[in-house]
Amino acid sequence: MKKYADFRSDTVTKPTPEMRKAMAEAVVGDDVLGDDPTVKKLESLAAALMGKQAALFVPSGTMGNSIAIKAWTRELDEVIIEARSHIYNMESTHMTFISRVSPRVLTSHRGAMDPEEVEKNIKKPSVHLPRTSLICIENTHNNWGGAVVPLENMRAIRKKADRHGIRIHLDGARIFNASVASGIPVKEYAETADSVMFCLSKGLSAPIGSILAGPKDFIDFSRRIRKALGGAMRQVGVIAAPGIVALEKMVSRLKEDHERAKKLALGIYRLPGIKLDPEDVETDIIIFGVEHPHLSAADLLEKLKQKGILALSVPQGIRFVTNRGIDDSDVERAITAFTAILHS
Ligand code: TLP
């Protein structure tokens, strides 16, 4: 048995043998000079999948989001963003640090902001007020436990944005999880946004990299911002190659991660101290509170670790994420560990 079943994230997976082969055999060139055919192939494949004119390969999801916000805004602008979003909470404040814009933070129902509330918060600039130039949406929503934001909600926000000439950026780090869970093609989600970022290095199991997709002039400008941020890379086809495998081969297996997350949720939600509604588990992420007379979330995490189960602490309690490294026996092992700890 392996030492740890690692549920900390869907970022912890190792490249598949096919990815390693693709890396070894990748045809490469200097991508800063536009010479890397493998990167070009990945970018055009990604743009086509998202139904966008162009795409840019970036080292991380955080860089993709920060470039998008920089490209769509000017200093002194305001950006409407959801309260639990990754951009607002987990990306080291690049909105203010890089783009010098301020966030207008709205609450939501499981990641879906109320379109009327969004519209009420759109500002026209004045001597007192910032200009609202961008709305950010996250789907699936990490800190809402992998919730799928409904397409109708995104379309309704799109209508509001269009009425006021405002752009929408989609943090679609896990947009393929949303698509696999809902049966809605990624293109339909992406259509509601001007730009979309998605990660190759999460459930799709590539070792490195994310994609930013959008209109051609936006991507041309984003390419310049990526250079300014130090994110332009040379013979980067070696890491774009597993990204192509990720898009061509790894999407349909996300279903297995979703099924295992559900199985784990159903196996633990009745245990004493676990605050979890298994109905809320829609994709690969399970977030639950711990309200136990003798154990805090930190205690529980430590005891789980002693039994070979790794997970992460989050503000709401504990986060488990299923991923390609987790199989059915790991889920059983986790349920057994929870049961032993919470019934002792
Ligand atoms: N999420 C990571 C950690 O940062 C928490 C994880 O393990 O879930 N958008 C969303 C919705 C994300 O969940 C993440 C990463 C990012 C953007 C940033 O991607 P990276 O880590 O590639 O910069």
Side-chain angles (χ1 to χ4, degrees), residues 8-11 59-63 65 86-87 90-91 138 140-142 171 173-174 197 199 201-202 209-210 285 312 319 321:
R8 287 172 302 165
S9 183
D10 47 8
T11 59
S60 67
T62 301
M63 189 181 283
N65 285 332
H86 195 275
I87 292 177
M90 309 278 285
E91 298 188 8
E138 183 175 319
T140 62
H141 200 297
N142 183 345
D171 176 350
R174 297 184 178 83
M197 184 287 290
C199 295
S201 60
K202 297 203 162 55
S210 294
I285 302 180
L312 279 188
R319 184 184 83 158
V321 188

Side-chain angles (χ1 to χ4, degrees), residues 111-153:
M113 293 179 284
D114 175 359
E116 300 304 325
E117 199 57 30
V118 168
E119 186 166 41
K120 270 190 223 152
N121 279 280
I122 293 174
K123 297 190 183 96
K124 288 268 176 288
S126 76
V127 71
H128 300 291
L129 298 179
R131 174 186 76 139
T132 306
S133 49
L134 183 67
I135 301 165
C136 293
I137 297 177
E138 183 175 319
N139 202 1
T140 62
H141 200 297
N142 183 345
N143 284 320
W144 278 101
V148 180
V149 175
L151 181 61
E152 313 81 72
N153 176 262

Side-chain angles (χ1 to χ4, degrees), residues 91-107:
E91 298 188 8
S92 304
T93 69
H94 62 68
M95 282 174 96
T96 47
F97 172 56
I98 296 173
S99 301
R100 294 166 179 255
V101 294
S102 39
R104 169 63 42 181
V105 182
L106 302 189
T107 55

Side-chain angles (χ1 to χ4, degrees), residues 52 115 135 137 152-169 190-195:
K52 299 293 182 201
I135 301 165
I137 297 177
E152 313 81 72
N153 176 262
M154 293 177 69
R155 286 183 172 153
I157 293 177
R158 173 80 264 171
K159 275 197 187 143
K160 302 291 187 193
D162 284 345
R163 192 178 295 167
H164 299 273
I166 290 172
R167 303 293 189 175
I168 297 181
H169 172 65
E191 200 181 25
T192 68
D194 296 281
S195 58

Side-chain angles (χ1 to χ4, degrees), residues 28-277:
V28 298
D30 188 332
D31 185 50
V32 181
L33 301 179
D35 285 352
D36 194 306
T38 309
V39 176
K40 284 192 176 144
K41 184 176 169 193
L42 171 63
E43 289 177 343
S44 48
L45 174 62
L49 276 169
M50 293 294 143
K52 299 293 182 201
Q53 285 174 346
L56 182 71
F57 185 49
V58 288
S60 67
T62 301
M63 189 181 283
N65 285 332
S66 58
I67 290 173
I69 293 175
K70 183 72 195 157
W72 288 131
T73 62
R74 284 199 311 252
E75 287 186 14
L76 307 181
D77 283 357
E78 193 167 87
V79 173
I80 293 180
I81 191 148
E82 196 272 338
R84 289 196 193 179
S85 63
H86 195 275
I87 292 177
Y88 179 59
N89 294 284
M90 309 278 285
E91 298 188 8
S92 304
T93 69
H94 62 68
M95 282 174 96
T96 47
F97 172 56
I98 296 173
S99 301
R100 294 166 179 255
V101 294
S102 39
R104 169 63 42 181
V105 182
L106 302 189
T107 55
S108 73
H109 174 69
R110 295 178 53 72
M113 293 179 284
D114 175 359
E116 300 304 325
E117 199 57 30
V118 168
E119 186 166 41
K120 270 190 223 152
N121 279 280
I122 293 174
K123 297 190 183 96
K124 288 268 176 288
S126 76
V127 71
H128 300 291
L129 298 179
R131 174 186 76 139
T132 306
S133 49
L134 183 67
I135 301 165
C136 293
I137 297 177
E138 183 175 319
N139 202 1
T140 62
H141 200 297
N142 183 345
N143 284 320
W144 278 101
V148 180
V149 175
L151 181 61
E152 313 81 72
N153 176 262
M154 293 177 69
R155 286 183 172 153
I157 293 177
R158 173 80 264 171
K159 275 197 187 143
K160 302 291 187 193
D162 284 345
R163 192 178 295 167
H164 299 273
I166 290 172
R167 303 293 189 175
I168 297 181
H169 172 65
L170 170 59
D171 176 350
R174 297 184 178 83
I175 194 64
F176 287 97
N177 294 84
S179 168
V180 165
S182 65
I184 296 169
V186 282
K187 236 185 224 180
E188 291 193 36
Y189 289 109
E191 200 181 25
T192 68
D194 296 281
S195 58
V196 52
M197 184 287 290
F198 69 90
C199 295
L200 298 160
S201 60
K202 297 203 162 55
L204 301 183
S205 301
I208 303 166
S210 294
I211 295 285
L212 179 62
K216 179 157 184 330
D217 54 353
F218 164 84
I219 292 297
D220 288 345
F221 188 41
S222 295
R223 197 175 290 279
R224 292 176 55 199
I225 300 173
R226 183 187 68 174
K227 184 75 179 91
L229 294 176
M233 297 172 284
R234 302 293 175 175
Q235 284 72 27
V236 69
V238 288
I239 58 172
I244 295 170
V245 178
L247 287 178
E248 288 179 342
K249 304 279 174 68
M250 304 302 284
V251 173
S252 59
R253 64 151 299 285
L254 293 173
K255 192 167 168 278
E256 294 172 28
D257 293 346
H258 299 179
E259 285 165 2
R260 291 194 176 106
K262 190 64 126 186
K263 197 169 158 194
L264 177 55
L266 288 168
I268 64 170
Y269 82 103
R270 286 201 188 88
L271 291 169
I274 302 288
K275 295 287 151 213
L276 170 66
D277 181 350

